Amino acid sequence: MKLNVVVIGSGGREDALCWKLAQSPLLNKLFALPGNPGTMRFAENIDLNITDFNEITNFCIKNKIDLVVVGPEVPLVNGLADHLLNLRIKVFGPTKSAAEIEGSKVFAKYLMKKYDIPTASYETFNWNQGNEVIQYLQTVSYPTVIKVDGLAAGKGVTICNDYDSACKLIDQVFLGKLFGEAGNKIVIEEFLTGEEVSIFVLTDGEKYILLNPAQDYKKVYDGDRGKNTGGMGSYSFSSILDENKINEIKKSIVEPTLIGLKSEGRKYSGCLYCGLIETEDSFKVIEFNCRFGDPETQVVLQTLESDLLQIMYEIAFGELKSFDIVNRGAAICLVLASDGYPDAFEKGFEIFDLDEVEKFPNVRIFHAGTTIHGNKLITNGGRVLSITAYSMDKNYSELIEIVYKAADKVHFKNKYFRTDIGIRGISKFKFNQ
């Protein structure tokens, strides 16, 4: 069996997915829609509009595609999987109703409350309840967390340290339409303290497997200061969580979530991302995503030795069989961004010396915000490149040194990166052969 596969998306996550899928002996032909200069190393890029579902399905039919892997959340929340499945095209990714677990924070909270999935206490409000919100904000403890209901590219969560800043944000969201339609509903929830961790669940809706845990860095500045971003770096290895903690997460979060979704008529198929926090008494859900995270994918897939394409194909056919997966080693990812991100930034600057970095042992580069103009590689986004280092035998601390040495070799105007990525993982690392 040889498979023709499409990866939907154009970011660092999709570059990493293409890299991993290209290793499979099951692969015949790999396409990236639209892809980026990085995916061209592993796939044929096809410049299609991923919001045009008819254009995507026509391409799949013409090229006899056996499996579509959807990277970003927006096409999934908008129903791309349903559109493809109606034409009997196999998809790795949830249906529109199941993807609402990310598409609506209000729905996710409803699901967790109904099925006793641990999460922060909360209240929800609509855009026309401004007075009620202001009254409620007088009763909560600070800091408090305000989340917009809909998709906001990872930037729709704000921690407000006092009543005045919370009221100001409500005005910006409800009256100023800071997040557009995504802010027509909000969730106000208690601020949880503890350490965050990302769990990737690959599931057919009933059976599931877990990839290595990962931890990411959402804030733009060192010391976890500044605004939320899509992610400034990440690391992954098995000893982030011990076996007892993994079992707790399975029993209290993963399994009741899958059971709850199925009971609601929203059976989940694909990658369920669980963003968790370990509080004093238990793990609790901060958020669910309906797809692989970015930049966690760039590290998690490097510690997965098993055939990802085989796993995805089994899930797309509704029966996961590949339970004996192998997760080994450690990986770290450092995001090189355009200075000014996540706010206004300049782009269009030439990127130099990637060929020098690719000579580094244990280093891989995944492209995110890049494009080709003439014969030059130039910056084309807020997050430009993901510099990653992976090893089966090197000390984790040494990987941090390697990734920063590699980052220093890459040059483009307005390059920015955090200088503390991966450090908090040093105390957790235990070598796992």
Side-chain angles (χ1 to χ4, degrees):
M1 177 178 63
K2 289 287 188 177
L3 303 176
N4 294 328
V5 180
V6 159
V7 172
I8 303 287
S10 59
R13 165 185 51 218
E14 288 75 36
D15 196 5
L17 284 167
C18 286
W19 164 77
K20 186 62 178 176
L21 293 170
Q23 300 169 29
S24 174
L26 298 177
L27 183 67
N28 178 49
K29 182 72 174 177
L30 182 61
F31 300 94
L33 278 58
N36 63 38
T39 60
M40 291 170 61
R41 298 170 293 179
F42 319 110
E44 181 182 343
N45 285 0
I46 305 296
D47 188 15
L48 290 186
N49 179 1
I50 64 171
T51 66
D52 189 331
F53 293 176
N54 289 326
E55 197 172 353
I56 292 173
T57 50
N58 289 339
F59 175 85
C60 291
I61 292 168
K62 181 179 178 180
N63 290 275
K64 299 179 180 178
I65 299 301
D66 300 293
L67 178 66
V68 176
V69 178
V70 186
E73 64 275 18
V74 173
L76 291 167
V77 171
N78 288 341
L80 176 57
D82 309 68
H83 191 84
L84 293 165
L85 290 169
N86 285 339
L87 295 169
R88 299 185 179 180
I89 299 170
K90 297 298 181 184
V91 185
F92 181 85
T95 60
K96 181 176 183 177
S97 64
E100 196 173 2
I101 199 168
E102 177 173 4
S104 170
K105 299 288 194 302
V106 171
F107 168 72
K109 283 293 192 180
Y110 155 82
L111 185 81
M112 288 185 274
K113 184 176 182 179
K114 183 174 180 179
Y115 293 94
D116 296 320
I117 300 159
T119 188
S121 60
Y122 71 98
E123 291 291 340
T124 64
F125 297 91
N126 295 326
W127 66 271
N128 58 356
Q129 293 181 289
N131 291 334
E132 290 93 328
V133 176
I134 298 305
Q135 291 174 8
Y136 178 73
L137 289 173
Q138 294 174 345
T139 69
V140 302
S141 300
Y142 290 91
T144 195
V145 182
I146 299 179
K147 300 178 176 179
V148 300
D149 178 53
L151 299 179
K155 304 177 185 70
V157 178
T158 306
I159 298 170
C160 296
N161 291 314
D162 52 51
Y163 172 75
D164 288 341
S165 62
C167 291
K168 181 180 178 181
L169 179 67
I170 294 301
D171 282 346
Q172 291 173 330
V173 172
F174 281 172
L175 301 179
K177 296 298 180 183
L178 180 62
F179 296 99
E181 298 281 319
N184 284 347
K185 298 178 184 177
I186 61 168
V187 175
I188 301 177
E189 65 179 36
E190 68 171 319
F191 177 79
L192 299 175
T193 58
E195 193 157 2
E196 296 184 25
V197 64
S198 302
I199 300 294
F200 289 66
V201 184
L202 305 187
T203 179
D204 61 12
E206 297 177 358
K207 299 184 286 292
Y208 66 91
I209 54 177
L210 301 186
L211 303 184
N212 264 348
Q215 293 188 289
D216 73 331
Y217 293 76
K218 293 183 176 66
K219 298 293 186 177
V220 67
Y221 298 130
D222 287 5
D224 293 328
R225 296 177 297 109
K227 291 186 176 182
N228 273 347
T229 71
M232 296 300 294
S234 59
Y235 59 90
S236 177
F237 44 80
S238 62
S239 58
I240 289 175
L241 297 173
D242 62 31
E243 187 175 354
N244 288 335
K245 291 180 178 180
I246 289 291
N247 287 333
E248 176 191 342
I249 290 167
K250 287 179 177 179
K251 297 301 180 185
S252 69
I253 295 172
V254 175
E255 291 171 10
T257 300
L258 295 179
I259 290 169
L261 285 165
K262 185 180 178 183
S263 298
E264 296 289 314
R266 301 169 185 247
K267 186 176 180 181
Y268 194 98
S269 175
C271 177
L272 178 65
Y273 170 109
C274 305
L276 312 179
I277 187 167
E278 185 178 10
T279 65
E280 288 184 353
D281 54 343
S282 67
F283 283 93
K284 294 185 178 181
V285 177
I286 297 175
E287 65 176 355
F288 287 115
N289 291 334
C290 63
R291 37 68 189 184
F292 284 96
D294 186 343
E296 297 99 324
T297 301
Q298 290 89 308
V299 289
V300 168
L301 293 187
Q302 290 190 77
T303 68
L304 175 66
E305 292 198 348
S306 304
D307 188 335
L308 180 64
L309 179 53
Q310 180 176 342
I311 295 168
M312 288 179 163
Y313 188 69
E314 291 175 3
I315 287 171
F317 268 82
E319 187 174 3
L320 177 62
K321 300 176 182 177
S322 300
F323 291 104
D324 298 325
I325 65 165
V326 180
N327 295 305
R328 293 199 294 183
I332 181 171
C333 170
L334 173 64
V335 171
L336 302 188
S338 298
D339 193 23
Y341 172 79
D343 294 319
F345 57 86
E346 294 183 78
K347 57 186 179 180
F349 302 116
E350 187 172 2
I351 302 169
F352 299 96
D353 300 322
L354 285 194
D355 54 340
E356 291 299 313
V357 178
E358 288 166 347
K359 295 175 184 177
F360 276 56
N362 303 92
V363 169
R364 295 187 180 98
I365 302 170
F366 296 117
H367 292 239
T370 68
T371 190
I372 294 175
H373 184 70
N375 59 354
K376 295 179 180 179
L377 182 70
I378 62 173
T379 63
N380 192 44
R383 293 188 294 173
V384 179
L385 296 165
S386 297
I387 310 297
T388 67
Y390 162 79
S391 180
M392 278 296 302
D393 51 19
K394 289 186 182 295
N395 182 283
Y396 173 71
S397 299
E398 191 174 344
L399 284 185
I400 298 176
E401 294 178 17
I402 290 171
V403 84
Y404 274 101
K405 285 180 181 178
D408 285 337
K409 292 287 186 181
V410 179
H411 297 98
F412 58 87
K413 187 178 178 181
N414 290 352
K415 181 180 75 171
Y416 169 76
F417 55 89
R418 281 182 56 161
T419 62
D420 60 348
I421 299 298
I423 294 173
R424 70 172 180 240
I426 293 174
S427 62
K428 300 182 183 69
F429 180 73
K430 297 177 182 177
F431 182 72
N432 177 28
Q433 181 63 47

